[in-house]
Amino acid sequence: MATWPLTPDFFSAIPYAKTPIPDYERVPLMPGDHLQTYYWFWLFSDNLTGDSALLTNPYEFNAFDGPMSAGYANFPFSILYWVLLFLGQAGAYNGLVMLSYILGGLAAFLLAKAWTKDNLTALIAGLVFAMAPFRSAHVVSGHLFAFVIFLLPLCLFFLERSLQKSSWWRGLAGGACLAAVSLMEGHVAYLMTLTVGAFLAGRILLCENAPENKPARDQEPDLPLAPALAGVIAGGLSLGLFFWMAVSRKAGWSFFQFRMLEPLTAWVLAAFFFWMILSCLIARFSRLDFARARNLIGRQFFCLSPLVIYALQYGMDVPYLGPVLLGVTGVGFTASLVRIVLAHRARPTGFDLKAVLPALIGFGAGLAVAASYLMHVRASIFVPSIAGKGRSLHEVLLYAPNSWDLFQRLNPDNERLVYLGFVLIVLALAGLAPLLSNKPKKPGKLVLAGSLAFLGSVLCLGPNLTGFPLYKLLYNYFPFFKYPRVPGRYVMVAFVFLGLLAAGSLSGLRAWLDHKGRSKVALMLPILVLALIGLEYYSPKPVGLALFNADNKVYARISQELPENKVVLELPVWPGDSHQSSAYEYTVTRTQKPMVNGYSPVVAKEYVEKVFWPLFGADLGEITQQRAELLKRLKVGLVTFHDDALIYSGKISAFPPRLAEKRLAASPWLEPLEKDGVISLFRVREDPLPGKDPDSITSPVNTVWYARNLPLNTGRRVLDPDASGYNLLMREGPLFKEGKLIPKPGAGGNITSARPGRDKPDFMAFGPFRAFPGGEYAARFRLKAGPASPGVEIARLEVVTDKGQTIIAQRPLVAGELPADTWGDVILPFELKSVTDLEFRVFYTGRAALDFNLVNVGFADQKQGPRQVEAEDLLRQTAWVVSDPKASKGEAVLAKNNFHPPLYVSHGPYFIFEEGKFKADFYLRLAEKTQTDAEVLLLQVATDMGKRVLAQKKIKASDLAEDKYLPFTLEFETPFLCEVDFRVKYQGNASVLVDKVVAAEG
């Protein structure tokens, strides 16, 4: 249920996402953490039966002196992968995915059984943990955390049983769980250390040997609960209001808004659990029983009410008012507690060392092993890496959930999928209800479980919980707390203890039903709850699958032809912490050959500085003499290039990967060997082959930078329906389909408008700071100028690098160059000798009205307007280029049935078309015979990056021929000067080939 539809592809694919983007449900070799985890599982099997030594990783990050990474992951959990290898490599991985549900559920079940002594209700805790949306999402995404988090409840189970039985072997087994996880996942080890440490402290102080129902002094009257509860609520609200006022004043927010519920709720809950902890402790060390201590202590929280005086800061600025109020109320509250303790003090009850020592020593031994290993990892891997000083708070915020994510059932963002479930929350609250009764049974256990559940729920929100600074305090002052960057993991702590509370509440209800003679109802109740929880955690959307392409010919050529003592370089090269590099780890599993590349969240700085940046130009197809010498020093024998939008993303180049591939094939330093699918293979030459000029190869695709995507120092964003990019800012869905265009929230505008007298002279557009390969270019700035005196300089157009320090080209825009109040393109030619980071700037002089829409940059030799363009030279989301003698230039784009997803097999080139009527002929054919009459392609002519469709046509398999390409004509009309995009979306059902698009005036 949780991994559907994995079963049909069990032996040929692995899951990569819980909620994939629509149309990306089945994708060939989707890169991501799932491939990295698969690689580490495979590596252990290779250590045992392959060429690599045991517990070594000789395949990644091979630079000048061997591997630059000393890390080793997934062991000993990877032993299970080796055991399951009879299922095949993909099958063994998928077997571990399935097994993680069993292990998680079993561990939580054992803990709940030890906690409640009720097998049926313990099943609820097991199901909650196994099916927890956060864990389920991360295990299908390939995060090792989700595979091994079962060790948390298992560790707690052994320590709980050790405390109950005074068992040494159970205590040591609990420590072994902590030691084992430290070898695999440092973040889980840290989370477990904090959780288990807090659990043991609370278990011993609040529960172990705590005398229950001790009589109070004879003259001590019974106190009602209501004033105590009111005091706690008042104190919590006072704290919440105090911190909300402090935060909202600093941020300039209005006082009354929905967000203020966050600190109010968090502080009331914090006050409640603090109240309960104090009640247990005072009952433990005084002559009061829990109920009397609770009712007496709760009243003291009224001491915190003066914190609302902080509201004076809204009318006057009183220096140090906040610290003074916290100090005064804190002292008053503490003094009231001391008075209660002194008035009811009793000789402390000693601890039963025989009972607690095995658990403490077992945990201590495990902690010692874990701490020793992790300190070694920190010194050898973390400190020299890009994360050596920990993660910045800004980076943590990128991954932190918001409070409403706790109640959002379907969330496409795995890191924010911290949904708890309403059934679980209701049952857990019912489990806490006895704490408000007169004679609660084992209140210490309830307080411990509730407090840790609360802490897990709060910490999982990271620094996003407004007005509750616990996470920030721990980040700033608690050792090593700043190293993890995904706070959502703490929600698994909440699931453990919420599950215990839920199991406890149902166990109590079952006992009551049995006492009333309703045994059948008591038996059926847990089954009903299990069904409700299963339904609530069930996701109707299929998981995303990464399809393996193990038979790619390039893998075989690498295995056969890589010389001894040589390594492979895979392009595009990434810094090492980017998920795209995981696809190269898959290459290793097919070839067993070392590579320069690698994937790790803690990449050595030396790799980034000495390998990635010097080689980056090769990503754009540029192999200079200097880079060729670096390849030799790195002992690179073979080079691969991935013409895949999922690996060669838009972050690398503004142009399609096809341009870089063609330039690499023409490089004097590389010899083409093989091309299969999206991978090309080259051999590094010892000496350059003369007569080659790769820089002369250009791309027909233009790159477009809209005003809305470029920063500005002057002017303002304005919506203009008669300018490009307008539809990009409109909402989609039913309103869009009905032709009613409504701007998205915060849409801004598609143009930047500057006016004299209103806007200062400054840059009204600059950026995007992107790399462009060498060549001759034309930058076309789309502008509209108002009336001005002849010869007046309205703006200055620039192409610069080094953040404006080096001007590559510039020209003034003088009044009269463009017809007044009419959009037109002003061309600025420039030339690059090598790969360069570029910035396109429009400086506004303030002398006339000026509007800026976009800058369209393309190679100077490429004609704009209607013309022929080859499909293989365009952008694409899927499919691959193949040789085809029937195609106009011997190549075409192939979309393979049952393999490629329903995405665009070609789009672009964003040629500039004047306003007018045109037609476009798409040349298509079947790759193989088929009997289906289903739809196979959707043809579109569009602008605004596909958001404004000018014409479209659906193509069925029966419309196509297998023996030749047939033209399919779309007539369209451009509404104004704009960029035209020829789009071909694959719909599946048959394998098809796309050759070219020929546009002409209509």
Side-chain angles (χ1 to χ4, degrees), residues 383-412:
V383 172
S385 77
I386 57 176
K389 295 182 179 179
R391 305 294 184 176
S392 68
L393 204 57
H394 173 72
E395 191 173 2
V396 175
L397 281 167
L398 295 176
Y399 294 89
N402 294 293
S403 58
W404 54 84
D405 289 320
L406 292 169
F407 310 100
Q408 185 176 346
R409 182 168 172 264
L410 299 177
N411 192 330

Side-chain angles (χ1 to χ4, degrees), residues 402-735:
N402 294 293
S403 58
W404 54 84
D405 289 320
L406 292 169
F407 310 100
Q408 185 176 346
R409 182 168 172 264
L410 299 177
N411 192 330
D413 188 341
N414 285 353
E415 312 300 356
R416 294 182 170 87
L417 184 55
V418 291
Y419 177 69
L420 297 175
F422 290 101
V423 175
L424 178 62
I425 292 173
V426 169
L427 290 174
L429 290 176
L432 291 170
L435 290 174
L436 301 179
S437 65
N438 288 330
K439 293 184 178 181
K441 293 182 179 181
K442 299 182 179 180
K445 279 192 170 184
L446 298 182
V447 171
L448 175 59
S451 300
L452 290 177
F454 169 71
L455 287 174
S457 302
V458 166
L459 290 177
C460 81
L461 303 179
N464 270 340
L465 187 56
T466 306
F468 195 81
L470 177 62
Y471 193 95
K472 290 183 180 179
L473 287 172
L474 293 172
Y475 177 89
N476 288 322
Y477 302 110
F478 199 81
F480 310 120
F481 198 84
K482 62 177 59 178
Y483 279 93
R485 65 180 177 183
V486 182
R489 293 181 177 131
Y490 286 100
V491 79
M492 295 310 300
V493 178
F495 276 114
V496 169
F497 293 101
L498 288 172
L500 291 180
L501 289 171
S505 67
L506 273 182
S507 181
L509 182 56
R510 289 187 72 234
W512 180 82
L513 289 170
D514 279 331
H515 179 71
K516 295 293 185 179
R518 308 295 295 274
S519 299
K520 290 185 177 180
V521 178
L523 180 64
M524 295 301 297
L525 184 62
I527 299 174
L528 175 62
V529 172
L530 287 170
L532 290 175
I533 291 174
L535 286 173
E536 189 172 23
Y537 289 166
Y538 169 69
S539 174
K541 295 185 177 181
V543 301
L545 298 179
L547 307 179
F548 284 177
N549 187 21
D551 298 329
N552 192 296
K553 296 176 183 177
V554 170
Y555 300 144
R557 294 290 296 270
I558 292 175
S559 298
Q560 297 165 6
E561 301 190 23
L562 182 69
E564 190 175 354
N565 298 322
K566 294 286 188 177
V567 299
V568 178
L569 171 66
E570 303 224 44
L571 298 177
V573 63
W574 287 90
D577 62 341
S578 302
H579 74 276
Q580 289 88 348
S581 297
S582 63
Y584 309 152
E585 292 181 310
Y586 179 76
T587 301
V588 173
T589 69
R590 306 311 310 164
T591 65
Q592 295 82 50
K593 298 299 182 182
M595 62 180 177
V596 174
N597 314 77
Y599 180 35
S600 171
V602 283
V603 181
K605 295 178 183 176
E606 186 182 10
Y607 177 84
V608 177
E609 296 168 357
K610 295 184 179 180
V611 177
F612 167 68
W613 283 118
L615 287 176
F616 174 72
D619 289 354
L620 284 78
E622 184 179 281
I623 305 293
T624 61
Q625 174 81 31
Q626 186 177 9
R627 288 194 184 96
E629 292 173 357
L630 177 58
L631 293 180
K632 293 179 181 179
R633 293 201 305 273
L634 290 170
K635 300 179 182 179
V636 175
L638 297 174
V639 175
T640 68
F641 181 84
H642 293 252
D643 181 7
D644 185 341
L646 296 173
I647 299 173
Y648 194 102
S649 76
K651 294 180 181 179
I652 297 172
S653 173
F655 296 101
R658 172 74 169 174
L659 172 63
E661 181 188 34
K662 291 170 73 172
R663 288 192 171 192
L664 289 172
S667 170
W669 293 100
L670 298 179
E671 175 190 354
L673 295 180
E674 184 74 65
K675 179 176 174 63
D676 188 6
V678 296
I679 311 177
S680 298
L681 180 65
F682 306 91
R683 178 183 286 119
V684 178
R685 301 181 188 272
E686 289 296 324
D687 298 300
L689 193 66
K692 291 201 170 188
D693 183 19
D695 288 351
S696 64
I697 299 173
T698 63
S699 171
V701 175
N702 294 338
T703 175
V704 183
W705 307 99
Y706 293 101
R708 71 184 187 92
N709 299 127
L710 298 177
L712 72 163
N713 291 335
T714 192
R716 59 185 62 178
R717 306 279 194 229
V718 177
L719 284 170
D720 185 350
D722 295 324
S724 290
Y726 180 77
N727 281 41
L728 284 168
L729 302 177
M730 300 296 114
R731 291 182 179 177
E732 297 186 47
L735 292 176

Side-chain angles (χ1 to χ4, degrees), residues 217-268:
R217 292 180 299 176
D218 293 338
Q219 65 270 27
E220 183 70 33
D222 288 339
L223 297 174
L225 173 64
L229 186 60
V232 172
I233 294 174
L237 289 175
S238 298
L239 282 165
L241 286 170
F242 172 84
F243 281 97
W244 168 250
M245 288 186 288
V247 170
S248 60
R249 282 187 71 249
K250 184 176 181 180
W253 298 335
S254 61
F255 179 79
F256 292 104
Q257 55 177 288
F258 184 78
R259 192 182 299 179
M260 73 183 298
L261 292 177
E262 288 186 17
L264 295 182
T265 305
W267 279 108
V268 168

Side-chain angles (χ1 to χ4, degrees), residues 954-997:
K954 296 178 181 179
I955 305 298
K956 294 182 178 181
S958 58
D959 298 330
L960 302 174
E962 184 198 1
D963 59 339
K964 62 179 178 180
Y965 285 94
L966 299 177
F968 294 85
T969 302
L970 268 67
E971 296 181 350
F972 63 97
E973 183 175 356
T974 51
F976 45 74
L977 182 69
C978 63
E979 294 64 48
V980 172
D981 182 6
F982 305 120
R983 306 169 71 85
V984 180
K985 186 176 183 181
Y986 181 54
Q987 306 287 50
N989 302 312
S991 298
V992 295
L993 289 154
V994 183
D995 179 19
K996 62 183 177 181
V997 180

Side-chain angles (χ1 to χ4, degrees), residues 52-53 168 354 451 510 576 719 732 814 819 929 945 948 969 976:
S52 58
W168 283 94
K354 183 180 178 181
S451 300
R510 289 187 72 234
L719 284 170
E732 297 186 47
V814 179
K929 290 183 179 180
M945 299 294 170
R948 185 167 186 163
T969 302
F976 45 74

Side-chain angles (χ1 to χ4, degrees), residues 894-955:
L894 168 67
K896 191 175 179 182
N897 190 29
N898 293 322
F899 189 74
H900 288 117
L903 300 169
Y904 286 97
V905 299
S906 67
H907 63 100
Y910 311 113
F911 287 156
I912 299 173
F913 277 59
E914 298 285 347
E915 179 180 353
K917 294 182 179 181
F918 304 90
K919 66 177 182 178
D921 293 327
F922 294 76
Y923 284 77
L924 318 167
R925 80 173 180 91
L926 287 172
E928 56 192 15
K929 290 183 179 180
T930 180
Q931 301 300 318
T932 184
D933 192 34
E935 182 181 334
V936 292
L937 293 171
L938 173 65
L939 311 182
Q940 292 179 325
V941 179
T943 186
D944 286 358
M945 299 294 170
K947 298 299 182 183
R948 185 167 186 163
V949 178
L950 306 177
Q952 68 178 13
K953 179 181 291 186
K954 296 178 181 179
I955 305 298

